[in-house]
Amino acid sequence: MRTTVSNDKDYRGNVHELSRNIMTDWMGQLKDATQNPVPSAYLMISGNCVEILRCFDILPVFPEINALQLAIRKNSLPYIIKSEEIGYASDNCAYVKADIGFTMCGGVGKEGTIPKPSIIVCNFVGCNVYIKWFEHCAQMMDVPMIMLDIPFLREDAPSKADIAYVVCQLRELITRCEELTGKKFDIDRLREILRYSARAEDGWSRAKELCKNRPTPYDAYFDSINMMGPINALRGTKEAADFFDATVKEYEKMVADGIGVLDDERFRVVFEGPPPYPYYRNFRNLFEAWGAVSVQSTYSTVGGTWEFGFRHDADHPLETIAEQMIVHNLCNRSMLERYKQIRTYVEDWSADALVIHSIKSCRLFSAGQGDMREYFTKELGIPTLMVESDLEDPRYYAEAQMKNRIDAFFESLQYKRLRQGEEAART
Amino acid sequence: MTRKEVVQQCRDLVDLLPGEALAEARKKHPDVGGFGVFPVYAPVEVIHAAGLMPVGLFGAGDKIELSHAESRFQSFICSIAKSTLELFLRDDMKDFEGVVFSSICDVARNLSSLVTRNAPDLYIEYLHMPQNMYSGETLNYARAEFERFRTKLSQRVGRPITDEAICESLVLYNEVRALVRRLYSHRKLHPTSIAAADVYAVVQAGTRMMPEDYAPMLRDLCDEVEATEVKPRDGVRIVLEGAFCEQPPIGLIDVIEAGGCIVQDDDLMIGWRLFDHDVESNGDPLAALSQAYVSSSVYTSVRHDVDKPRADGLVVRMKQSGAEAVLFAPAKFCEPALLDYVLFRQKLEEDDVPHLKIEYEEKMWTFEATRTEIETFAESMLFD
Ligand code: SF4
Ligand code: SF4
């Protein structure tokens, strides 16, 4: 039985508002910087070292957030097409295409909303497309690029050589930041910033922990986006730390009052893969119609897997940043580590099923997800649904087909439950 | 061996599956184990010094049906990932000790995980090769990565892999690479002295033989090719770019030439011939390999060098080989190649260099459409 979605229910509550406020504020700074240039740097989300830039008052700019916003505002397609005109393939990551198209159309620079960066800091954390994307930005805008090569986590823990390599590159980055800004590196300032980071990370973890409750106070896939901006882009600021304090307070109250994000939470699922931003609300509704809520998601951990305990440590500033970049984020870990992460989510967050949203653009996430489905259904016996579209390109979202699959999946879950209930009653 | 014999033997070898190629090598080296090397960079010396034969793992072409792998990798993933996985799911790699992958792209990385899960008895390694060539720690890091590989491989085979043994392998592979460079250099001057498809087969066969057996063969071939009188023919002199990982079917290379192009240089199997000069083989061999990777690698789409844009590399490759046009041949769905195409194209257009893009899949078997495209391209240039 499907339930109707109540359109007037503001399930995102205050947290959405709070998040929007601080993110809008930062975007205002970006817009200002197009007219009144200040030192700014491009950076990627996954396992970033925004704290170092912040230490020099370098304004961080994230092209991924730009791409995301274009998609969620349903503006991505013209830019994607613009990029395809200059040679990008239909199979390339559409985040890159949307951002580059936007740049070509004047979105970056004096007439746009995003400042042309003073430097490009390529934190190569997991995703190989990051390197190409930033090579293209550097080339097209004629901006110097700095490479931070982060060794992939290919053993249980990083080696001394891995850490030494990253720390050395961070020191080299610091020298470049000193040259750019004319400011001397102040380690105490960095420590202070890292303390703010750790406070935000505490809040993140606590919020994620609260989703273990039934009902869950927020949807850990669709609503996590409200926390992802602050933790990834604004980490290290007092505003982000305060935001998380307020967020936790709100969710704790919901839990104490027994209020969930859905009125009737019937299925708890774990989500794997990024969402289809161009159809965010539509996609969400397809699950909500079944009373299905996400209690954990892998996508929310692209920047950091804080819920497993890691905190930036102000006593070891560069080492801790290096460790976070190498170890404690989803992108720099193997598929098999992701299987473990999902399994922990399913077990510890009491989920009924796994939903894999396979993204054509993003091979980092999607390549091989068929094997993931095989592992979860066949080896662990966890019901798994796999659907396919894109995170940026609206042309790959086929709602009717998507709906059929989702409905069929939850129908069968519901049927299974009924059967189990009948059997339990009989015995 | 005569040129004809060499080419035939090589063509036969590349037609085999990796396990069959290993079985072939075992006729002469009964005790040798096999170790798969997924593109791009091939750390062959360490493997060879472990008493194993490094075997290039370039998928399975059209030689097997995909019955399991297609449900593991989605439709938008390159063929090499699927057919490579299929080899493991079919148990075709059971005579191998393991496989090494390197950090070339997101697909290869995930593939290494899938292989690890589905071939639990093998030793699967993933090397993160440096992408920052200029950090004060780059060389130490790279050396540590080679050392990690040596240690784990040695644990797997149950015997030490000494510096001396690696140096000996370095001498052998230096010789092989020098011969391949010799063949390529000769072709640049006399591109019609050997068919591009033959060069392709010969170089690929080198990824399926012990270097000690391959080098003499290759030397015979070079001697004969160099001594052959060359009849020039008309055609558009091209550099083939984009085929650094998944390898095209040999028929495609034939079609490129039949369609009116003359291949002056290419990036086929580039990871096996990455260094532009010999690697130092007296001293610390892992430090030497690191140094070579950092400072003597030719450009590829999977190695970033902040000071040396690949588009400049392509222009140099064109100039040095006397090419007048570029044929981009990326594997279908190959993200690094398709992304690089954008900057390559931009550069070539600035410089007014003609270029054509043709995509391929390893299991492609009909080339008519591609042939027409190539012919049209070649004609437009020849009769311009
Ligand atoms: S491939 Fe995925 S992780 Fe990489 S830039 Fe694209 S969307 Fe982001
Ligand atoms: S063909 Fe391209 S995308 Fe596929 S594994 Fe090789 S480099 Fe990666």
Side-chain angles (χ1 to χ4, degrees):
Chain A
M1 185 193 58
R2 304 175 80 241
T3 50
T4 4
V5 184
S6 61
N7 284 329
D8 51 1
K9 180 169 165 48
D10 187 3
Y11 39 70
R12 295 174 302 189
N14 281 331
V15 172
H16 176 63
E17 200 56 34
L18 291 172
S19 169
R20 198 168 58 190
N21 291 346
I22 55 173
M23 292 301 283
T24 308
D25 196 46
W26 165 65
M27 283 180 298
Q29 291 173 34
L30 297 186
K31 178 92 177 85
D32 285 352
T34 60
Q35 300 305 315
N36 312 301
V38 292
S40 61
Y42 267 18
L43 195 66
M44 290 295 179
I45 289 290
S46 138
N48 68 49
C49 55
V50 68
E51 288 87 353
I52 292 186
L53 301 183
R54 220 175 274 306
C55 193
F56 289 92
D57 298 309
I58 296 172
L59 187 61
V61 187
F62 295 88
E64 284 160 298
I65 298 187
N66 178 38
L68 182 161
Q69 284 175 333
L70 293 172
I72 212 161
R73 293 177 185 145
K74 301 191 187 296
N75 274 341
S76 57
L77 191 55
Y79 298 121
I80 291 173
I81 290 171
K82 182 92 195 152
S83 282
E84 288 176 354
E85 281 164 13
I86 63 155
Y88 286 90
S90 59
D91 303 309
N92 285 139
C93 167
Y95 255 30
V96 179
K97 288 189 280 185
D99 177 62
I100 297 283
F102 181 76
T103 307
M104 286 192 299
C105 293
V108 175
K110 281 205 161 36
E111 309 301 320
T113 49
I114 291 180
K116 178 178 163 186
S118 328
I119 45 169
I120 289 176
V121 179
C122 181
N123 50 318
F124 168 42
V125 179
C127 177
N128 279 269
V129 172
Y130 280 5
I131 303 179
K132 304 282 182 201
W133 189 348
F134 273 173
E135 281 175 350
H136 292 200
C137 292
Q139 174 76 32
M140 289 177 187
M141 295 190 287
D142 195 18
V143 171
M145 169 166 167
I146 299 172
M147 169 56 83
L148 289 181
D149 176 24
I150 309 302
F152 190 65
L153 185 69
R154 57 234 182 278
E155 300 279 346
D156 292 340
S159 66
K160 279 201 183 109
D162 292 348
I163 301 267
Y165 182 37
V166 177
V167 167
C168 180
Q169 293 178 83
L170 292 176
R171 284 189 210 286
E172 288 156 359
L173 170 66
I174 286 172
T175 307
R176 297 284 290 269
C177 292
E178 288 182 327
E179 287 161 9
L180 174 71
T181 60
K183 289 183 183 162
K184 195 99 202 83
F185 174 55
D186 176 358
I187 196 151
D188 291 324
R189 171 111 196 263
L190 182 59
R191 289 186 212 278
E192 186 192 342
I193 290 167
L194 288 169
R195 277 187 211 102
Y196 283 130
S197 292
R199 223 178 94 201
E201 291 154 10
D202 272 339
W204 169 277
S205 301
R206 177 75 185 127
K208 282 283 190 98
E209 187 74 15
L210 288 168
C211 295
K212 288 182 177 167
N213 287 287
R214 236 177 243 275
T216 174
Y218 68 98
D219 187 295
Y221 187 52
F222 295 107
D223 293 329
S224 277
I225 186 83
N226 296 322
M227 306 199 308
M228 284 172 73
I231 198 79
N232 293 322
L234 307 182
R235 203 176 62 241
T237 63
K238 180 173 182 306
E239 290 73 18
D242 290 347
F243 161 81
F244 276 100
D245 289 348
T247 296
V248 167
K249 221 162 136 192
E250 170 151 334
Y251 290 150
E252 276 176 341
K253 178 151 182 0
M254 285 174 75
V255 169
D257 296 345
I259 296 173
V261 58
L262 300 187
D263 292 335
D264 180 17
E265 175 181 301
R266 293 167 48 229
F267 297 103
R268 295 166 67 85
V269 301
V270 169
F271 258 96
E272 146 77 2
Y277 281 116
Y279 292 96
Y280 203 67
R281 178 59 75 99
N282 296 41
F283 190 58
R284 180 176 192 156
N285 287 348
L286 296 177
F287 291 90
E288 201 174 311
W290 283 96
V293 67
S294 169
V295 290
Q296 259 294 11
S297 63
T298 50
Y299 176 61
S300 57
T301 60
V302 291
T305 45
W306 325 107
E307 54 260 57
F308 295 109
F310 174 81
R311 300 289 176 270
H312 277 105
D313 174 3
D315 292 336
H316 305 96
L318 296 187
E319 292 74 13
T320 202
I321 292 174
E323 196 190 330
Q324 201 271 325
M325 297 181 90
I326 304 172
V327 189
H328 304 287
N329 63 83
L330 174 123
C331 296
N332 213 42
R333 303 169 71 93
S334 73
M335 273 293 256
L336 298 183
E337 287 297 317
R338 209 188 316 160
Y339 291 7
K340 280 192 212 156
Q341 184 178 341
I342 295 173
R343 187 176 176 171
T344 306
Y345 283 167
V346 171
E347 288 169 359
D348 295 0
W349 271 260
S350 321
D352 305 302
L354 167 66
V355 178
I356 302 173
H357 183 224
S358 174
I359 297 288
K360 184 170 189 282
S361 268
C362 182
R363 290 170 177 82
L364 173 136
F365 258 103
S366 61
Q369 278 170 332
D371 186 74
M372 177 186 279
R373 178 178 52 188
E374 184 92 3
Y375 171 71
F376 280 94
T377 49
K378 300 239 167 89
E379 295 204 9
L380 302 184
I382 294 166
T384 302
L385 167 70
M386 187 155 153
V387 287
E388 207 172 287
S389 74
D390 198 69
L391 84 170
E392 183 80 13
D393 191 331
R395 293 171 295 187
Y396 295 107
Y397 185 83
E399 177 130 341
Q401 207 182 335
M402 189 85 100
K403 182 174 178 304
N404 282 341
R405 307 216 35 202
I406 293 169
D407 287 352
F409 180 74
F410 285 104
E411 252 161 45
S412 86
L413 268 190
Q414 182 165 270
Y415 178 68
K416 217 163 97 189
R417 238 184 220 177
L418 278 172
R419 288 284 303 272
Q420 278 163 354
E422 281 165 12
E423 265 164 39
R426 269 204 299 273
T427 51
Chain B
M1 283 170 88
T2 66
R3 165 186 184 148
K4 212 170 150 198
E5 286 164 347
V6 172
V7 169
Q8 192 52 51
Q9 187 175 333
C10 291
R11 282 188 176 247
D12 291 345
L13 254 183
V14 300
D15 234 13
L16 302 178
L17 290 172
E20 296 166 342
L22 177 61
E24 192 59 33
R26 279 185 172 158
K27 288 182 185 159
K28 189 165 173 202
H29 307 270
D31 301 326
V32 80
F35 204 85
V37 180
F38 192 81
V40 176
Y41 172 59
V44 285
E45 292 84 354
V46 182
I47 299 169
H48 183 261
L52 303 168
M53 176 165 94
V55 178
L57 195 53
F58 300 101
D62 60 354
K63 296 185 268 294
I64 57 171
E65 283 294 315
L66 297 185
S67 41
H68 311 286
E70 247 165 346
S71 68
R72 310 291 175 99
F73 280 113
Q74 299 90 325
S75 57
F76 50 81
I77 303 297
C78 56
S79 314
I80 188 177
K82 293 178 187 169
S83 64
T84 299
L85 181 63
E86 188 76 30
L87 287 174
F88 289 91
L89 295 173
R90 283 164 39 125
D91 222 14
D92 269 16
M93 300 295 291
K94 62 178 182 317
D95 291 334
F96 283 68
E97 290 291 336
V99 185
V100 58
F101 292 87
S102 52
S103 46
I104 55 166
C105 73
D106 303 339
V107 171
R109 196 194 47 219
N110 289 5
L111 173 64
S112 78
S113 276
L114 267 55
V115 171
T116 305
R117 189 176 93 77
N118 290 286
D121 297 335
L122 301 191
Y123 160 45
I124 311 299
E125 188 51 83
Y126 182 83
L127 298 180
H128 182 100
M129 300 308 291
Q131 294 283 9
N132 180 348
M133 303 303 155
Y134 304 100
S135 167
E137 275 294 318
T138 301
L139 285 174
N140 289 340
Y141 166 77
R143 196 195 174 289
E145 190 62 348
F146 282 121
E147 190 67 66
R148 189 176 68 83
F149 182 41
R150 159 162 67 185
T151 307
K152 288 177 71 186
L153 187 58
S154 137
Q155 282 162 0
R156 167 77 193 198
V157 295
R159 50 184 179 266
I161 304 173
T162 61
D163 278 359
E164 291 70 34
I166 304 179
C167 284
E168 280 168 26
S169 301
L170 261 170
V171 171
L172 283 169
Y173 277 102
N174 271 341
E175 192 186 352
V176 165
R177 283 186 292 255
L179 285 164
V180 172
R181 284 197 296 270
R182 186 176 145 194
L183 184 62
Y184 268 72
S185 302
H186 183 76
R187 181 176 63 168
K188 284 173 196 168
L189 295 173
H190 308 285
T192 50
S193 61
I194 179 165
D198 288 347
V199 175
Y200 178 44
V202 167
V203 177
Q204 189 162 5
T207 74
R208 302 177 143 217
M209 287 176 78
M210 292 296 270
E212 47 271 50
D213 300 334
Y214 179 58
M217 234 173 82
L218 192 52
R219 189 170 313 108
D220 286 351
L221 177 81
C222 287
D223 289 348
E224 200 178 324
V225 169
E226 284 167 2
T228 311
E229 210 176 307
V230 185
K231 293 184 211 82
R233 72 176 162 84
D234 271 351
V236 176
R237 284 168 286 123
I238 58 140
V239 161
L240 183 75
E241 175 76 42
F244 49 85
C245 178
E246 179 173 319
Q247 294 299 294
I250 207 158
L252 181 75
I253 308 296
D254 282 327
V255 156
I256 290 171
E257 289 208 321
C261 291
I262 298 174
V263 180
Q264 304 282 129
D265 202 355
D266 59 62
D267 64 351
L268 296 159
M269 288 153 300
I270 194 92
W272 285 70
R273 48 191 189 87
L274 195 68
F275 306 134
D276 57 15
H277 57 258
D278 283 356
V279 182
E280 177 62 56
S281 57
N282 295 310
D284 175 350
L286 299 186
L289 279 171
S290 311
Q291 186 68 57
Y293 188 84
V294 169
S295 48
S296 333
S297 293
V298 296
Y299 79 89
T300 76
S301 280
V302 295
R303 183 178 169 283
H304 169 81
D305 187 327
V306 83
D307 285 352
K308 295 183 190 144
R310 283 180 288 277
D312 294 352
L314 176 58
V315 171
V316 171
R317 190 173 281 171
M318 280 190 66
K319 282 207 180 109
Q320 286 179 347
S321 64
E324 56 197 322
V326 173
L327 191 64
F328 288 107
K332 205 161 189 304
F333 305 118
C334 176
E335 186 114 68
L338 291 169
L339 283 171
D340 271 5
Y341 169 68
V342 178
L343 293 190
F344 283 144
R345 177 173 138 162
Q346 213 168 54
K347 175 79 183 159
L348 296 181
E349 277 170 11
E350 272 166 31
D351 295 1
D352 240 354
V353 175
H355 55 86
L356 174 71
K357 178 170 130 188
I358 47 161
E359 291 186 17
Y360 65 83
E361 280 188 277
E362 57 173 21
K363 57 179 186 289
M364 176 177 181
W365 55 274
T366 149
F367 305 100
E368 277 322 299
T370 314
R371 187 187 173 119
T372 313
E373 271 187 87
I374 292 170
E375 277 171 357
T376 315
F377 175 69
E379 278 163 19
S380 74
M381 279 192 65
L382 289 173
F383 303 112
D384 212 10

